[in-house]
Amino acid sequence: MNLEHMIKPVPQKLVQGNEKISLGTLGKADFTVVVKKLSGSLSNLALDMLQNGLSKKINDCAAKGNVKITLEVSSDIPSDVKKNFDQAYSIKAENGSIALVGYGDAGLYYAVTTFLQCLKVENNEVSVPAFTLLDWPDLRTRGHFMECRYGSNLMKLSDWKSLVDDMRDMKMNQLVVALYGCWCIQYDGIISEYIYIPVKKHPELRSDVIKKYYSPEKGEWINETVRTPMADEDFFGELIAYGKTRGVEVVPLWNSYGHNSLLPRTNPGISAKDKDRKPTGHGFCLSNPDTYETLYSIFDEIITRYLAPNGITSFHIGMDEVRDEIATDTSDPFKITSPWCECDECKKFTNEEKFLNHAIKLITFLKARGMKSVYIYSDMLTRIVNPVTFKKLLEENDLLDVTVIDWWTYTNNKESLMFDTMHPELGLRSTVKPWNSYYHWDMIFDAVPNTQILTELADKEQSAEGLQSYSAWDKSCDKNHVSMADYSWNFKGTGTVEEFNDRYAHREFGARYDEARHALAIMDEVTKENVDFDKDGFFILTNTLGNVALMRSLSYYRYSYVVTGKPYPRNFPGEPVELLLEKRAVYEKQLRGIAELSAEALEIFDSISDDTRCNTHLAKRFACEVNNFLCIAKDYLALLEIYDIINTGEKSKEICDKIAGIARERKTARLSLMLRIQSVKEDFLIPSHLRNQSVFMQLFADIEAYAGTVEPSELCLDVCDLRPIASEAFYKLR
């Protein structure tokens, strides 16, 4: 048993012996827990976690056994510990005794977490190998940012608690929850706006969740509107309190400039004004005192109701992507709106000055309210704001100590980074932000290289204090999650991306390592990122396998966006089919390769999902994802086949039956995938995942219905424009 394949994240210093220490046999414990010194609530929770974890593993409560397990919080920190001393810990399991020592409250908690990961049951005996370990994290804070978007908008308190538990198991200690954010018009002709708490002073601020999809499990269409559970039940405070019992600091994000339409739309007085002095419903008027009265009152309510009672002193103000946006006005989806106010007072300032003045005011207010860490996104420092100017203003306003720059860039290629330095020479507090396959509702992809690149930069510059992913929660992204835990805890020990992937396959699928490693490599290859982008910032098709072909160019989600020069709703699947036809020989070969690889990985994961020696739950989820890859590829191959049949010009019953048969087979395959999704994934994921899946299912149902009922002599089917035969059900999904 190799402990390096069992412990996550990968530890700093580990020496494993040849012996083992028996803690008892199933049903009969043989150990005694001895407490030397505990220092706080988290170390006391560590004691409970140890006792509960052991009793569940052995199926017996500890009495007086032969093996002594001691717990201690010590201030005698070993000289080898380099940083983050309060989270450091040691374990010595040798000569029939076990010592768990934390060099701070959190350290003992992590010691117990690691120790429980090392337990093994073999021949009814529960044991750990002899080993010594000294461990500490490279980065002080490690965790996830949960965007207020698809999936999280339906998470119940129990779902959020499961997320926290998952983080606890990886020694991740910070969860940032977006409570407010806005995007553009996508589905249903409405602006995508999200708010996860009730704001007592502004009851008009609310958002609902529209569910529209076909449920093969129930055999019926789902069409309903519900409240966001976190807002409806007002449990953000409970989540914060629960996080503290798992060593996870829960932090709010309230987007305070960019991604902002609900606040200015419902309160036109504080909205940015256009050149005609009319409210745009996008961005703020920064010369109107009411803007700050509104934001300060919301911040104050969040602090008073949720943060202060739980001792939380961190706050994220967002402020990313402050830019002109299309589709933020439902009366004119193609209108491009600016967030920069052009009223008589605001227009006196440059956009850089507007941004900086706004940021300084908000950070000043939050520091005065006791916040010790105020996070702000980095991208405006790479767009219009000079980092040196920002640093100078922070110094002048005594804000350098609380401001944390959240440096984000989401690419697996160094040449595509939005920045190549976090400016350590400026002395700014910083965190790094890779992503974790955010578009889970569309198609997951490999984000491990992105994490490696950013933590490599953090290690090189030694300026970042934490890692805070950009994400929305789906356990199918587990490999990405674990990479964040590993690289943020021990960058050098985690090694190359290949070394990480090897360790991950061993951890989760050790008994079937070779097959699992191959199937995971296929997943990464099928969603491999290339560096070609179109003018809208989307990946475009290239001559190699990549998520460029799958996620952004062929799947439906891209076509939910409003784009200048395109109809809304978009011509789907006409647009991607036309794209394929431009270089058909290349892309069709690519699709066949993707289908072949995906089918191979699907067979492997389906086999592993029945092998209880492995993580069967993850195998089922991964099988679901590669099945999605397979469906995408085969759907477009089917559309190309129908295109060829139509272009023969032949019109007969046999031709109609052939087209209907192809469509029926694809509809059935998609329904099978949808049923698999419902059997594997959590309830909060189903509406967003199945809506996009239902688009494809209904697309082929419409082709089947048309080909099955049309008079052969009247057959008129254009795969590049199926709108004439599209059903109402198809349009309602969009």
Side-chain angles (χ1 to χ4, degrees), residues 373-391:
S373 296
V374 180
Y375 295 88
I376 182 169
Y377 281 132
S378 66
D379 59 300
M380 299 308 289
L381 299 182
T382 66
R383 298 174 193 265
I384 66 167
V385 173
N386 186 321
V388 175
T389 304
F390 189 36
K391 190 261 179 90

Side-chain angles (χ1 to χ4, degrees), residues 5 479 499-514 516-518 520 614:
H5 296 158
K479 187 161 77 80
E499 288 170 331
F500 166 80
N501 286 334
D502 286 341
R503 189 182 300 109
Y504 183 83
H506 273 296
R507 278 174 176 166
E508 305 301 338
F509 310 108
R512 305 279 293 274
Y513 163 78
D514 290 333
R517 183 69 182 86
H518 179 60
L520 289 167
C614 300

Side-chain angles (χ1 to χ4, degrees), residues 352-501:
E352 180 185 22
E353 290 170 332
K354 291 172 187 175
F355 182 89
L356 288 171
N357 292 339
H358 188 58
I360 293 299
K361 287 181 180 179
L362 299 186
I363 299 169
T364 298
F365 174 82
L366 288 167
K367 181 176 181 178
R369 286 292 280 113
M371 296 299 103
K372 296 179 181 178
S373 296
V374 180
Y375 295 88
I376 182 169
Y377 281 132
S378 66
D379 59 300
M380 299 308 289
L381 299 182
T382 66
R383 298 174 193 265
I384 66 167
V385 173
N386 186 321
V388 175
T389 304
F390 189 36
K391 190 261 179 90
K392 182 179 178 181
L393 283 172
L394 292 174
E395 281 183 319
E396 291 173 354
N397 290 275
D398 192 26
L399 300 174
L400 203 58
D401 59 329
V402 300
T403 305
V404 189
I405 312 301
D406 192 358
W407 292 93
W408 65 270
T409 183
Y410 310 135
T411 175
N412 289 348
N413 298 284
K414 288 184 180 180
E415 58 267 37
S416 301
L417 294 173
M418 287 199 301
F419 54 86
D420 57 11
T421 180
M422 294 181 285
H423 298 284
E425 74 281 359
L426 296 180
L428 297 167
R429 292 177 62 191
S430 297
T431 60
V432 294
K433 189 178 225 71
W435 66 353
N436 76 335
S437 195
Y438 167 65
Y439 297 103
H440 62 86
W441 55 84
D442 183 39
M443 188 167 296
I444 71 164
F445 53 88
D446 178 25
V448 176
N450 180 220
T451 300
Q452 192 276 336
I453 288 169
L454 284 183
T455 48
E456 180 181 41
L457 182 62
D459 182 72
K460 175 185 175 182
E461 295 191 340
Q462 290 293 305
S463 61
E465 62 187 52
L467 176 145
Q468 195 184 97
S469 76
Y470 185 76
S471 54
W473 194 244
D474 187 336
K475 278 287 289 180
S476 297
C477 306
D478 183 72
K479 187 161 77 80
N480 294 333
H481 298 158
V482 176
S483 76
M484 292 174 185
D486 274 1
Y487 277 113
S488 63
W489 184 276
N490 182 1
F491 172 74
K492 288 185 172 65
T494 300
T496 65
V497 169
E498 284 301 307
E499 288 170 331
F500 166 80
N501 286 334

Side-chain angles (χ1 to χ4, degrees), residues 289-353:
D290 290 345
T291 296
Y292 294 98
E293 191 282 329
T294 300
L295 287 172
Y296 293 165
S297 69
I298 292 171
F299 291 176
D300 194 64
E301 185 172 331
I302 292 170
I303 293 168
T304 301
R305 292 180 57 208
Y306 304 118
L307 306 191
N310 291 292
I312 301 298
T313 57
S314 300
F315 201 110
H316 203 311
I317 57 175
M319 295 182 60
D320 61 318
E321 298 179 330
V322 187
R323 63 190 183 189
D324 293 358
E325 296 279 9
I326 194 173
T328 61
D329 185 342
T330 56
S331 66
D332 184 0
F334 298 99
K335 179 181 178 182
I336 296 175
T337 311
S338 172
W340 306 108
C341 186
E342 293 295 325
C343 75
D344 291 340
E345 285 300 314
C346 287
K347 71 178 183 180
K348 296 176 182 177
F349 301 93
T350 66
N351 290 344
E352 180 185 22
E353 290 170 332

Side-chain angles (χ1 to χ4, degrees), residues 75-138:
S75 59
D76 189 13
I77 302 169
S79 59
D80 284 348
V81 176
K82 305 301 183 185
K83 57 177 71 171
N84 300 312
F85 308 112
D86 60 322
Q87 298 182 52
Y89 68 95
S90 65
I91 300 176
K92 288 185 179 180
E94 55 188 8
N95 301 322
S97 65
I98 299 164
L100 308 179
V101 180
Y103 301 104
D105 208 29
L108 186 60
Y109 194 78
Y110 294 148
V112 170
T113 301
T114 294
F115 177 71
L116 293 175
Q117 291 173 350
C118 297
L119 297 175
K120 185 174 183 180
V121 180
E122 190 172 40
N123 295 325
N124 280 350
E125 181 186 44
V126 180
S127 66
V128 294
F131 71 100
T132 60
L133 182 151
L134 180 63
D135 206 8
W136 67 91
D138 288 345

Side-chain angles (χ1 to χ4, degrees), residues 93 236 256 532 566 634 637 679 697:
F236 183 57
S256 308
D532 294 338
K566 304 287 186 181
K634 285 199 167 185
L637 289 170
S679 70
M697 183 278 296

